[in-house]
Amino acid sequence: MSLGLVAIVGSPSVGKSTIFNRIIGEKKSIIEETRGVTRDRIYAHTSWLTKSFDIVDTGGIELADTTFQKQIRMQVEIAIEQADVILFVVDGQIGLNEDDYLVARMLYKSKKPVVLAVNKIDDSHLINNKFEFYSLGLGEPIAVSGAHGVGIGDVLDKIVDILSKNEEKDSQLSGLRFSIIGRPNVGKSSLCNAILNENRVIVSNIEGTTRDAIDTKFIRNDREYVVIDTAGLKKRGKIYEAIDKYAALRALRAIDQSDVCLLVIDGSEGIKEQDKHVVGYAVEAKKAIIVIVNKWDLVKKDNNTMNEFTKEIRKEFKFLDYAPVIYTSAINKLRIHDIFDMLEKVYESYTFQISTSVLNDIIQEAQMMNETPNFNGGRCRIYYAQQVSSKPLTIALFVNEPSWMHFSYMRYLENRIRDSFELIGSPINLVLRKRK
Ligand code: GDP
Ligand code: GDP
């Protein structure tokens, strides 16, 4: 589980993407001397000393046709809104400048935890350059060299230290965490409003967690829920929604923080390519998923329309056959209650604990009904199965030789397990372990 999101901010060419790449340990983005260079990759999961977190290089989120100052301002706003810790990078060779003050003022006001890295200190004789940055009022500057990998460990120590404090507070957070995701204009914010308006008991935020500003907690029938990234669903967030990378960042973060993702599709427009990208993230993250077909009021229907649409969903989202589908209208408040009933069912599946003996009965019976095929030069035998974790439900299959297992047989087993326990909306993660 990710401890949170770290955002790198700073003027162009201070070395943000160099440091980003150092931290994620791969050289995936393009680094060039010229300003305004486009980057491949701006978001990654990474870890430091067993603690994992997400990191984004805001320098890669760009608005076209705008001044640098505006650009920086926007990137810092995004960082402040989304991140748990901000890594502010300045150039230790050029020295303090106006842009640094601009960023510092914004960060200072936000009260977000900031780690200040003075980059390009490639040589020990430059070390004194860091001292002038104390005047930014953001605490102790850490001298680093992104190019040579010096000081990055100190930066990471500090980041992880701050994130771990959040973790302790977060562990007090309970409840079913869900997000509402989908491409722009499908009705995500309208649905969010419909959901929150029905449930007026919105709990005050938990003191001190940095996620207060973006997530909303409420209680319904004595059960606690948290809507992830409510801020992104409000109109303010929309200024940036047209920027693909920002929208993607937002969706990725929301998905990471959720147990269940409500994937919203516009029923009046049908399934679009962009819907599939969003689904892809949620499937990859192995989250429980409910598909919401919204704006159903706009659709001309007969008795068969729903079935037809569901068929289309099954066809277009191949790896999503486990996700239930609900047809809603946020405007007419149609089936908003159904969303809650389904959230409960899906969450139950997502957190399900399978008894080992029952599980093994199912696996044995499945093998008796349908033998494992010969594949890759041998026949895979499953000796034993055991659930190893939940959220997502993960089952280890102890076998003679993992490479002999055929993909389709895994799907078959998955379906047998799903049917036996009526698991709905939750992925089942089968992993193979070799046993002599
Ligand atoms: P960004 O625009 O802030 O993401 O900056 P980049 O990472 O693209 O780096 C801008 C320029 O600074 C590139 O030419 C890098 O090679 C250079 N650079 C980055 N880190 C260092 C460093 O630690 N020392 C030196 N001397 N140059 C660096
Ligand atoms: P978001 O960008 O996904 O958050 O979408 P919004 O919630 O802002 O909705 C986009 C537009 O679709 C707005 O004009 C909404 O009023 C409209 N809309 C949202 N849900 C429905 C619905 O269920 N039926 C109809 N007819 N319009 C809707």
Side-chain angles (χ1 to χ4, degrees):
M1 160 98 185
S2 163
L3 286 183
L5 179 67
V6 179
I8 308 181
V9 301
S11 306
S13 298
V14 294
K16 293 183 297 300
S17 66
T18 307
I19 290 174
F20 175 80
N21 284 315
R22 272 283 164 204
I23 291 175
I24 69 172
E26 293 164 76
K27 250 191 153 0
K28 282 214 171 130
S29 62
I30 308 159
I31 301 161
E32 271 177 28
E33 199 68 54
T34 49
R35 293 191 154 208
V37 70
T38 41
R39 292 146 205 252
D40 277 328
R41 185 178 187 185
I42 61 159
Y43 185 93
H45 292 281
T46 188
S47 62
W48 177 248
L49 309 174
T50 75
K51 305 278 189 181
S52 68
F53 57 91
D54 302 304
I55 185 159
V56 60
D57 172 10
T58 64
I61 305 168
E62 291 171 352
L63 272 180
D65 306 324
T66 188
T67 61
F68 278 120
Q69 288 227 331
K70 222 171 158 185
Q71 190 90 250
I72 297 169
R73 206 181 267 283
M74 180 201 84
Q75 289 163 355
V76 176
E77 268 176 25
I78 291 172
I80 289 170
E81 189 183 82
Q82 295 276 305
D84 301 290
V85 180
I86 293 168
L87 174 56
F88 179 20
V89 181
V90 293
D91 189 322
Q93 288 192 9
I94 292 182
L96 251 180
N97 63 60
E98 266 315 300
D99 290 342
D100 295 338
Y101 278 112
L102 169 90
V103 175
R105 273 195 301 273
M106 290 176 73
L107 293 179
Y108 199 76
K109 258 197 260 161
S110 79
K111 302 198 170 70
K112 282 261 158 141
V114 176
V115 176
L116 175 60
V118 182
N119 191 32
K120 309 197 185 179
I121 307 293
D122 302 335
D123 207 299
S124 57
H125 78 267
L126 292 169
I127 192 89
N128 287 336
N129 291 11
K130 77 171 189 183
F131 291 108
E132 66 170 326
F133 293 95
Y134 267 107
S135 68
L136 291 173
L138 292 168
E140 192 194 345
I142 305 176
V144 307
S145 167
H148 300 127
V150 179
I152 303 295
D154 297 338
V155 166
L156 287 169
D157 281 344
K158 202 157 170 187
I159 287 172
V160 164
D161 197 43
I162 297 166
L163 288 174
S164 301
K165 286 182 191 131
N166 278 344
E167 181 185 36
E168 282 155 31
K169 283 173 190 146
D170 266 7
S171 63
Q172 301 160 12
L173 275 179
S174 52
L176 193 166
R177 303 169 67 83
F178 69 98
S179 56
I180 305 173
I181 57 171
R183 61 186 176 84
N185 281 319
V186 293
K188 297 183 296 297
S189 52
S190 307
L191 276 167
C192 184
N193 287 336
I195 285 169
L196 292 179
N197 287 342
E198 284 215 347
N199 299 281
R200 293 221 167 262
V201 209
I202 294 176
V203 185
S204 62
N205 294 318
I206 294 156
E207 279 295 307
T209 55
T210 50
R211 286 169 201 152
D212 288 359
I214 39 182
D215 303 337
T216 303
K217 187 169 182 177
F218 63 92
I219 294 178
R220 181 182 189 269
N221 297 344
D222 295 331
R223 149 77 104 174
E224 285 178 12
Y225 295 87
V226 184
V227 190
I228 309 294
D229 196 13
T230 319
L233 300 165
K234 291 185 185 145
K235 293 294 165 189
R236 195 167 69 84
K238 299 221 162 178
I239 314 162
Y240 304 130
E241 203 169 63
I243 307 162
D244 281 353
K245 281 189 174 157
Y246 175 59
L249 162 67
R250 183 139 237 166
L252 282 166
R253 182 196 165 277
I255 290 166
D256 277 346
Q257 307 280 322
S258 309
D259 297 313
V260 186
C261 298
L262 304 184
L263 170 78
V264 187
I265 294 173
D266 185 333
S268 66
E269 292 196 334
I271 299 162
K272 299 265 188 262
E273 204 51 39
Q274 212 183 333
D275 294 324
K276 295 186 196 169
H277 296 314
V278 184
V279 171
Y281 296 145
V283 170
E284 219 167 273
K286 297 194 164 36
K287 298 296 179 175
I289 298 174
I290 299 171
V291 177
I292 308 273
V293 181
N294 190 41
K295 307 199 191 179
W296 200 238
D297 55 297
L298 296 180
V299 176
K300 274 207 191 112
K301 336 173 230 299
D302 57 33
N303 286 341
N304 216 12
T305 317
M306 250 185 218
N307 281 338
E308 289 299 320
F309 207 106
T310 304
K311 261 192 213 155
E312 197 61 25
I313 289 171
R314 299 296 177 222
K315 199 177 102 198
E316 294 292 333
F317 304 135
K318 291 243 161 51
F319 297 101
L320 210 59
D321 44 7
Y322 57 84
V325 185
I326 301 177
Y327 291 82
T328 63
S329 165
I331 299 285
N332 299 340
K333 310 262 189 296
L334 179 72
R335 299 199 188 89
I336 304 298
H337 288 287
D338 293 5
I339 294 179
F340 283 96
D341 294 343
M342 197 51 89
L343 271 171
E344 287 305 324
K345 274 190 203 147
V346 163
Y347 189 70
E348 204 179 297
S349 299
Y350 196 55
T351 52
F352 195 70
Q353 297 289 339
I354 296 183
S355 111
T356 303
S357 63
V358 179
L359 176 64
N360 280 284
D361 287 347
I362 291 163
I363 298 287
Q364 292 314 326
E365 202 184 294
Q367 288 188 97
M368 258 154 33
M369 277 167 54
N370 185 0
E371 285 193 344
T372 48
N374 261 310
F375 179 65
N376 250 347
R379 228 186 100 205
C380 190
R381 283 177 203 286
I382 306 163
Y383 300 120
Y384 186 69
Q386 188 174 26
Q387 178 173 358
V388 288
S389 62
S390 67
K391 292 185 163 193
L393 199 160
T394 304
I395 292 169
L397 301 174
F398 295 89
V399 300
N400 54 348
E401 175 51 52
S403 69
W404 292 344
M405 178 60 90
H406 193 269
F407 169 77
S408 64
Y409 199 82
M410 298 277 272
R411 293 280 289 183
Y412 162 71
L413 288 179
E414 185 187 323
N415 288 331
R416 298 294 311 162
I417 296 167
R418 195 179 289 291
D419 293 345
S420 310
F421 296 104
E422 288 181 66
L423 297 175
I424 178 166
S426 168
I428 298 177
N429 197 20
L430 295 179
V431 294
L432 297 170
R433 302 255 168 90
K434 192 182 169 95
R435 212 195 69 182
K436 292 252 158 63

